Amino acid sequence: MRGLSSPIEAEVKARLDARLDADARSPLAVALSGGGDSLALTLMAARWAKAHSRPLLVLTVDHGLQPDSAAWTQACARVADRIGARFRGLTWTDPRPSGGLPAAARAARHRLLAQAAREAGARIILLGHTLDDIAEARAMRAAGSTTPSPREWAPSPAWPEGLDVFLLRPLLGIRREALREWLRARGETWIEDPANTNLRFARSRARAALAEPGGADPEACAPGTDPPPLADLALQVVARPFGLQIARQALREADPAAARRFVAAACLSAAGGVRPPRGGALDRLVERLAGPEAVRATLAGALVLSDAGGVTFGRTAGEMRRQGVEDLWLPAGGDGIFDGRFRIETTSPARIRPLEGRLSRLSTADRAALSSVPPALRGGLPGVETGRQFHLAGTPDSGVRVRPLARSRLLAACGVATDEATAAALSLESSG
């Protein structure tokens, strides 16, 4: 990026340089709401992308919550056209929940952004969170919210839409007003969402409290540093067709806080879920795993089994039933994700179903292949129904290719991928 005209641009460039692969040719996605933060980020990202010959994809989500939202989307499209970027407008059409609207909107936004990025071949989505967002999240937690602080680099929280997609927030060390000053100096205008001042919402209340005399100073907040990675622990995990395994001693020797975060990530990854475990149930499980006794516990949809030597994280058919997992129908040449745990490719039309209740239909060879699988986890594995035939998915006779996703998801959650290049390496694990 030549001709840097401000320290802000220099800081953003440094953060982009540190995380992005300058030699990659896949699109770089940026989320643009039209507000000042995302507009400043989009303009600076466009300069970086142009300098490195990367296509830029501008994504805008219309939540349908404001009367002017369609006009805002059109304004974002004009920005994309002005900077020579491809644009895609996305619309949240799901029924609105009776409560928790901001959280539902946030989840929908992540889901739509991740899906659009993957469809375009983009692995990274840039988001415009600032130092003020860190301060607001801290104030919200102080008021009883569970809102986490935004991290500079993290896997997409959407699943399975966010498979192989990472989020980069290069503005976390910059104040919101500094970005607006940068925009004013360039004659730019931006959208002010009235929801930002609506005190019905926790974030708006936090923002208002910080603006009061004597409010907390965002400059005193940590500049969006990532939590210490769990890479050393996660890299000891062995992937199995039925889930994840790790030596129990590795958990015993780990820092207790690290072990807690690891177990939460392992349960989430092995179960293919979207809500990580928290609170007392997680604490009790980690304490039991640190002790000498055998463990059998269910948490966040995962079954955790442990003897003296190792810990297994898997998924039972009973948990799948309880959570309403549906069969996956795939056409010839189809590619889909079953139960958030398996990526499946077909050569002919197929119905992917749990093995539970159908084990007797398997061939002798298929049943032999299950001999190394803990009995409690066999029914939760995918089978393939084609006409009257039923096979264990992934065997030569099944006609499908199965790629377990748990380990690559765990490694991403535990900080093994720290930039675009290492994220690409994890992507190969889940796709090849």
Side-chain angles (χ1 to χ4, degrees):
M1 194 186 299
R2 297 182 180 179
L4 293 177
S5 57
S6 74
I8 284 179
E9 290 174 89
E11 178 175 343
V12 173
K13 176 185 181 299
R15 295 197 181 214
L16 295 176
D17 286 343
R19 299 285 191 176
L20 300 180
D21 183 356
D23 296 324
R25 291 296 171 262
S26 56
L28 177 64
V30 58
L32 174 62
S33 68
D37 304 340
S38 64
L39 176 60
L41 175 60
T42 298
L43 297 177
M44 286 185 266
R47 293 186 64 185
W48 190 95
K50 182 177 181 180
H52 296 283
S53 301
R54 292 280 297 268
L56 187 67
L57 171 65
V58 175
L59 301 174
T60 297
V61 177
D62 181 354
H63 296 92
L65 300 177
Q66 295 291 339
D68 294 329
S69 61
W72 295 347
T73 298
Q74 291 303 312
C76 292
R78 290 192 293 272
V79 170
D81 182 66
R82 171 158 58 96
I83 62 177
R86 179 184 168 192
F87 177 79
R88 184 170 176 191
L90 310 168
T91 304
W92 183 29
T93 58
D94 296 338
R96 304 299 188 257
S98 57
L101 182 60
R106 182 170 59 251
R109 179 166 61 252
H110 278 300
R111 183 173 65 252
L112 291 167
L113 290 172
Q115 185 173 2
R118 285 192 68 210
E119 290 173 354
R123 184 173 289 115
I124 310 299
I125 303 174
L126 304 180
L127 298 178
H129 295 89
T130 68
L131 191 58
D132 293 78
D133 289 291
I134 297 176
E136 290 163 10
R138 177 179 293 183
M140 292 167 69
R141 289 195 300 276
S145 171
T146 58
T147 301
S149 286
R151 294 163 52 189
E152 179 177 303
W153 174 265
S156 168
W159 192 262
E161 296 86 358
L163 171 65
D164 299 335
V165 176
F166 284 76
L167 309 179
L168 174 57
R169 299 177 173 94
L171 305 182
L172 282 184
I174 303 172
R175 293 294 306 275
R176 184 175 292 136
E177 182 56 32
L179 292 169
R180 280 151 176 73
E181 291 177 2
W182 184 87
L183 290 169
R184 292 187 194 102
R186 285 150 186 80
E188 298 285 347
T189 59
W190 58 91
I191 295 164
E192 292 288 1
D193 187 344
N196 292 332
T197 57
N198 188 335
L199 298 183
R200 291 173 48 211
F201 303 124
R203 182 168 294 276
S204 298
R205 293 194 297 272
R207 185 172 299 188
L210 291 171
E212 293 177 355
D217 181 6
E219 298 286 357
C221 294
T225 54
D226 293 345
L230 304 174
D232 291 344
L233 196 56
L235 287 170
Q236 298 181 57
V237 170
V238 176
R240 300 297 188 195
F242 49 82
L244 304 167
Q245 290 183 328
I246 188 171
R248 193 167 183 178
Q249 191 62 26
L251 291 181
R252 291 181 176 132
E253 294 175 353
D255 174 83
R260 186 181 190 277
R261 290 173 48 221
F262 171 83
V263 170
C267 287
L268 185 70
S269 300
V274 295
R275 294 185 178 181
R278 297 186 179 93
L282 175 59
D283 293 335
R284 289 189 293 273
L285 175 58
V286 174
E287 183 178 352
R288 292 176 64 191
L289 291 174
E293 303 297 329
V295 173
R296 180 187 176 108
T298 300
L299 187 63
L303 177 65
V304 183
L305 302 171
S306 181
D307 55 21
V311 183
T312 296
F313 299 87
R315 173 94 150 144
T316 67
E319 281 298 304
M320 295 171 68
R321 286 197 313 275
R322 189 177 71 82
Q323 296 178 14
V325 174
E326 297 181 351
D327 296 348
L328 175 66
W329 296 82
L330 291 174
D335 183 346
I337 296 177
F338 179 66
D339 192 32
R341 298 182 293 147
F342 301 98
R343 186 172 184 175
I344 298 179
E345 298 174 352
T346 64
T347 56
S348 58
R351 180 184 187 182
I352 312 302
R353 318 181 67 183
L355 292 185
E356 184 186 46
R358 303 172 183 89
L359 291 169
S360 62
R361 297 175 59 186
L362 295 176
S363 67
T364 301
D366 281 358
R367 288 196 293 271
L370 292 172
S371 61
S372 62
V373 179
L377 301 178
R378 292 174 186 172
L381 293 178
V384 183
E385 190 169 67
T386 53
R388 295 183 177 180
Q389 295 184 319
F390 191 76
H391 299 283
L392 173 65
T395 61
D397 291 335
S398 68
V400 304
R401 184 179 183 184
V402 178
R403 301 164 182 175
L405 302 175
R407 185 172 184 268
S408 60
R409 187 183 185 188
L410 177 70
L411 295 182
C414 290
V416 172
T418 58
D419 54 33
E420 187 175 14
T422 52
L426 282 188
S427 174
L428 291 176
E429 178 171 319
S430 65
S431 63

